[in-house]
Amino acid sequence: VFPVMLERVDALMEKWKKIDEKTIVLAKKELTKITADVICKVAFGYDLNAVEVENPTFIDALDHILTPNVFM
C-alpha cells in the first residue's frame, strides 16, 4: 500500500509544481483523487490515474456521493 501511496503523492506534487501561485487548488478534490487512485490500485489492480486527469467524471460522482446534502 505504501509504495502506491508514495507514487500517487509524487504524481500530485509534480502536478502542483506546474501551476502558478495564483491558481486555487481544491485540496479536498485533489485528496479524493489520491484516495481513489490508491484504493483502485491496491484493491482492484486498476490504475485510475485520477490525479493526472483534470476533471474525472468518477471523482465528480464520488464527491457528490460523499458530500452531505443539507436539504435532506
Side-chain angles (χ1 to χ4, degrees):
V1 173
F2 195 66
V4 175
M5 291 173 67
L6 286 177
E7 175 191 327
R8 295 292 72 215
V9 169
D10 287 343
L12 182 62
M13 295 305 296
E14 288 302 315
K15 179 181 173 182
W16 284 0
K17 286 178 185 177
K18 296 175 185 174
I19 61 175
D20 63 48
E21 297 172 357
K22 296 179 182 179
T23 301
I24 296 172
V25 174
L26 301 175
K28 179 181 177 248
K29 189 167 189 171
E30 296 297 318
L31 295 176
T32 301
K33 290 178 181 183
I34 286 179
T35 302
D37 276 351
V38 171
I39 290 170
C40 284
K41 181 64 176 179
V42 172
F44 307 111
Y46 180 75
D47 289 320
L48 186 62
N49 293 325
V51 170
E52 287 87 357
V53 178
E54 193 55 40
N55 290 308
T57 306
F58 176 77
I59 299 303
D60 290 338
L62 185 60
D63 192 45
H64 179 72
I65 291 168
L66 297 176
T67 302
N69 187 343
V70 296
F71 299 108
M72 291 183 98

